[in-house]
Amino acid sequence: MAFGHGKVILFGEHGVVHGRPALAAALSRGARAEAHPADRPLLEVEPWGVAIEPSADGDDGPGTDNAGLRRAFAALLSGYPEPPQLRVAAELTVPGGAGLGGSAALSVAVVRALDAALGVERGNVEVAELAQRAEKVFHGNPSGVDAAMAAHGGVALFSKARGVRPVRLATALPLVVGYSGEQGSTKKTVASVARQLQRDPGRVEKIFDGMEAIVDNGKLALEAGALEDLGQLMVLNQKLLVALMLSTTRLEEMCRAAIDAGALGAKLTGGGGGGCMIALARDLKAAEHVQAALTAMAPDAFIAEVTP
Ligand code: MEV
């Protein structure tokens, strides 16, 4: 079974779209896929219950309403000399539209499933590059961090210029991921930040400077196992995301509830405008406490221990 990782952005989302670094951690959840012989290329995705054929112009075929997915599948198939006569059965194990890199995980799993069936050998960098073609269909102007993390896994610094640079953790990170239940559109929030940057470059570049300093310090704290520092950096990063109008009342309430339940820090993760937040706990027992507090507000909060 082929696999692509979901991810959380620990620090630096949005700045990364504009050339700044971000720190991200891959999740053990994401997407899995398997390819089977067929008479034409097909993609089935669970739990969405969709089965689609590729379409470069995004025409909806009969019985489907998935123009974006059809174009994204066509973008992935553009990496093959001929359309593979394969049916790919894929399953997402993170919620879509939640800032957890579900679409990138799906694309990476699909590419790896096709490659495995066709006997194509492709390294992580090339898998991420191909997945990025589909990411552009889904998200407009993505930085590439999701596709890179989906392919590489682990914990890493990412920037557009330098790609993935793995970070060595001194200790495990007991993270809790909470889903606000509000569908966030990364395409929309990325476009909103781009508009703010155009209108007031001085202000927004200063916010990006702050995020970059948080990323630098976050890397040092990860390498030193300084969980309290990481928690404080998360709180600071969240303030900067609020300044870019990327948070919601619901996300703020969830971050507050996590901290009240003992989390060292909490912030939204990914595109924002809804989607998910993450909280850092001192240890797994404390993480269970935070998870319980979040579950009382929104179901499906889960513990994601990121290990060295
Ligand atoms: C990625 O998960 C979140 C954003 O930084 C968009 C991107 O990097 O493409 C908001």
Side-chain angles (χ1 to χ4, degrees):
M1 187 71 93
F3 185 71
H5 293 273
K7 64 89 194 57
V8 290
I9 305 256
L10 298 171
F11 304 108
E13 49 273 271
H14 285 283
V16 68
V17 175
H18 300 276
R20 306 301 185 112
L23 266 170
L27 298 173
S28 53
R29 301 182 183 207
R32 40 180 179 250
E34 203 162 30
H36 308 275
D39 57 3
R40 62 193 192 286
L42 267 179
L43 173 63
E44 298 165 358
V45 187
E46 292 300 343
W48 299 343
V50 298
I52 52 121
E53 293 180 34
S55 165
D57 57 11
D59 262 5
D60 271 351
T64 69
D65 181 22
N66 292 288
L69 189 60
R70 283 160 63 81
R71 274 193 290 128
F73 188 34
L76 294 180
L77 297 186
S78 70
Y80 298 84
E82 285 170 22
Q85 306 299 296
L86 292 166
R87 173 179 67 84
V88 183
E91 189 190 357
L92 263 178
T93 52
V94 288
L100 298 182
S103 61
L106 176 65
S107 296
V108 164
V110 169
V111 168
R112 286 193 171 140
L114 291 170
D115 285 355
L118 296 168
V120 174
E121 301 229 343
R122 210 188 298 260
N124 285 339
V125 171
E126 290 74 28
V127 169
E129 275 169 11
L130 187 46
Q132 179 68 354
R133 294 190 199 175
E135 283 291 278
K136 285 188 177 155
V137 173
F138 285 123
H139 300 307
N141 176 32
S143 64
V145 62
D146 289 16
M149 294 309 295
H152 286 266
V155 178
L157 261 180
F158 175 90
S159 69
K160 276 181 171 176
R162 302 183 65 180
V164 166
R165 283 171 285 161
V167 171
R168 199 180 290 275
L169 293 189
T171 181
L173 300 180
L175 289 177
V176 186
V177 182
Y179 180 42
S180 65
E182 303 164 324
Q183 190 100 13
S185 161
T186 303
K187 201 172 193 163
K188 282 191 190 147
T189 55
V190 165
S192 156
V193 173
R195 276 195 305 275
Q196 294 179 56
L197 181 62
Q198 206 175 23
R199 268 202 305 268
D200 194 349
R203 186 183 81 90
V204 175
E205 289 292 354
K206 262 198 211 116
I207 292 174
F208 289 163
D209 287 345
M211 287 181 176
E212 186 162 349
I214 288 170
V215 168
D216 291 345
N217 284 297
K219 175 174 178 287
L220 296 176
L222 286 172
E223 288 167 343
L227 294 187
E228 305 236 345
D229 292 354
L230 284 169
Q232 283 172 16
L233 290 167
M234 284 166 81
V235 171
L236 282 177
N237 196 156
Q238 176 65 9
K239 291 202 165 110
L240 297 178
L241 292 162
V242 168
L244 290 174
M245 293 176 289
L246 294 163
S247 194
T248 65
T249 306
R250 184 99 187 123
L251 285 168
E252 291 302 301
E253 284 167 358
M254 291 174 78
C255 289
R256 168 63 30 219
I259 288 170
D260 287 348
L264 300 171
K267 64 183 275 292
L268 70 82
T269 187
C276 284
M277 48 74 69
I278 50 171
L280 178 68
R282 196 176 301 281
D283 52 36
L284 279 180
K285 201 163 161 38
E288 281 170 17
H289 219 69
V290 173
Q291 183 191 19
L294 289 175
T295 303
M297 306 180 67
D300 303 333
F302 64 93
I303 296 176
E305 200 191 17
V306 177
T307 49

